[in-house]
Amino acid sequence: MSIHVLHENPEWYPPFAAAFDAEGVEHRQWLLGEGTLDLDAPPPPGVYWSRMSASSHTRGHAFAKDHTRAVLSWLEAAGRRVVNGRRVLELEMSKADQLTALRAAGFDVPRTIAVVGSGDLLGAAGKLPAPFVVKHNQGGKGLGVRRFDSVEELADATLEPPVDGITLVQEYVRPAHPHITRVEVVGGELVYAITADVARGGFELCPADACAATGPPLFALREDFDDHPIVARYLDFARRHGIGIAGFEFIETADGRLVTYDINTNTNYNPDVEAVAPRSGPRMIARFLAGEAGR
Ligand SMILES: Nc1ncnc2c1ncn2[C@@H]1O[C@H](COP(=O)(O)OP(=O)(O)O)[C@@H](O)[C@H]1O
Ligand SMILES: [Mg+2]
């Protein structure tokens, strides 16, 4: 039984291919973005894993997201097992969607206003205390994420247009320590938590090898995290939303808040962290998907 990996960036595949091979699992990539789809044909047997990325348009794959929407609907209608399926794709594609779901589940999230099209961005920013953050609703890898110290500063700025027409204005969450934490979960289990250095890393925090910065590593394993109470809450959220594989990002503030602000359902694991961690993200994924295929 084969594992079909749906995405659009073959550069991200080697660590997963190596993990599937090491586990003895048959696997193939399905690169989305162009092609044909015969809606009357039955999908090939196997388990499907979608890791479509919200930033795929930045790699010249403008149609990859809508292609994935069509393919996942087709797979699910045919009864195929899809990990990170049709609903999860919409979570990946919209931070407004993520924050709404997190908030409804009782998580502390940053105060956020979504501004659509030529809506009143400055007016929205004026409702938040300064500094504040502006970001794209559909992004990833820090796309369009900028911090402003005043509405005037925002008024003078030239912003990249968001691909879905939605810009978020968001409370700036001041970290108590100069890092954010990302909690990786696979198949109902914690992989590990990593920290990403915000002092040097700024807002562009893509953990893939392909995005690695020069100099000392920006990413580190966060030790002694397994018993942190947020882990069980993220696992419960993932289970309720049918999320098989994800990284949850949070910031801890000086006044004791733990603020969750991003869910990544197309995680790339950092090689420096993988080298020292007690568990491996790609290996856990390979085992999880093999288990799903064996059902
Ligand atoms: N509201 C915020 N307050 C403080 N820092 C933020 C905030 N939002 C984002 N950041 C910083 O910018 C980075 C990228 O933002 P994020 O929302 O995770 O977008 P992406 O999906 O592009 O990763 C975060 O990891 C964090 O360091
Ligand atoms: Mg992020």
Side-chain angles (χ1 to χ4, degrees):
M1 185 85 109
S2 197
I3 308 296
H4 304 262
V5 182
L6 277 56
H7 68 159
E8 47 75 43
N9 185 4
E11 278 183 34
W12 285 339
Y13 199 57
F16 299 108
F20 288 130
D21 290 343
E23 295 291 331
V25 185
E26 210 182 292
H27 61 96
R28 61 171 60 99
Q29 293 186 85
W30 182 355
L31 295 175
L32 295 154
E34 48 193 289
T36 55
L37 180 63
D38 181 350
L39 300 184
D40 293 334
V47 166
Y48 291 77
W49 168 33
S50 164
R51 40 179 282 102
M52 181 48 55
S53 158
S55 61
S56 49
H57 61 283
T58 65
R59 289 178 290 277
H61 305 139
F63 306 131
K65 295 164 200 173
D66 282 315
H67 191 179
T68 310
R69 288 186 169 100
V71 167
L72 295 187
S73 294
W74 172 71
L75 292 171
E76 289 179 6
R80 291 292 175 275
R81 171 74 172 112
V82 182
V83 170
N84 287 5
R86 191 66 183 80
R87 169 70 190 112
V88 176
L89 182 68
E90 295 312 319
L91 268 181
E92 168 70 19
M93 294 308 160
S94 169
K95 289 189 195 297
D97 206 344
Q98 295 166 22
L99 294 167
T100 302
L102 286 165
R103 192 168 189 275
F107 289 90
D108 190 348
V109 298
R111 163 109 175 86
T112 304
I113 303 173
V115 180
V116 183
S118 55
D120 184 11
L121 186 66
L122 299 179
K127 290 188 185 157
L128 298 179
F132 53 84
V133 167
V134 170
K135 62 172 77 167
H136 290 185
N137 182 54
Q138 190 176 106
K141 65 174 191 184
L143 261 187
V145 185
R146 290 175 63 179
R147 183 187 132 159
F148 293 98
D149 288 320
S150 67
V151 176
E152 293 70 41
E153 196 186 300
L154 175 61
D156 289 341
T158 309
L159 300 177
E160 288 261 314
V163 67
D164 66 350
I166 304 178
T167 301
L168 305 182
V169 190
Q170 190 166 79
E171 165 195 7
Y172 173 70
V173 183
R174 193 178 300 279
H177 314 285
H179 63 245
I180 63 102
T181 299
R182 176 157 161 156
V183 181
E184 302 291 357
V185 306
V186 170
E189 289 178 58
L190 172 73
V191 184
Y192 46 61
I194 69 169
T195 55
D197 183 333
V198 288
R200 286 180 308 125
F203 287 151
E204 291 191 20
L205 299 172
C206 166
D209 204 8
C211 322
T214 48
L218 293 174
F219 302 94
L221 186 68
R222 181 161 166 171
E223 305 282 352
D224 303 322
F225 197 77
D226 291 21
D227 298 324
H228 193 291
I230 200 70
V231 173
R233 296 189 60 202
Y234 287 153
L235 292 175
D236 185 57
F237 181 91
R239 188 179 52 76
R240 285 170 191 273
H241 288 81
I243 300 170
I245 298 166
F248 293 84
E249 293 181 356
F250 70 79
I251 295 172
E252 287 157 301
T253 66
D255 56 354
R257 290 171 68 195
L258 187 160
V259 183
T260 306
Y261 62 89
D262 189 25
I263 306 175
N264 303 278
T265 61
N266 70 326
T267 279
N268 291 298
Y269 299 91
N270 181 261
D272 298 327
V273 174
E274 281 281 315
V276 298
R279 293 182 283 269
S280 156
R283 289 295 285 267
M284 279 180 70
I285 289 176
R287 270 179 234 133
F288 168 51
L289 296 177
E292 293 299 301
R295 272 169 199 260

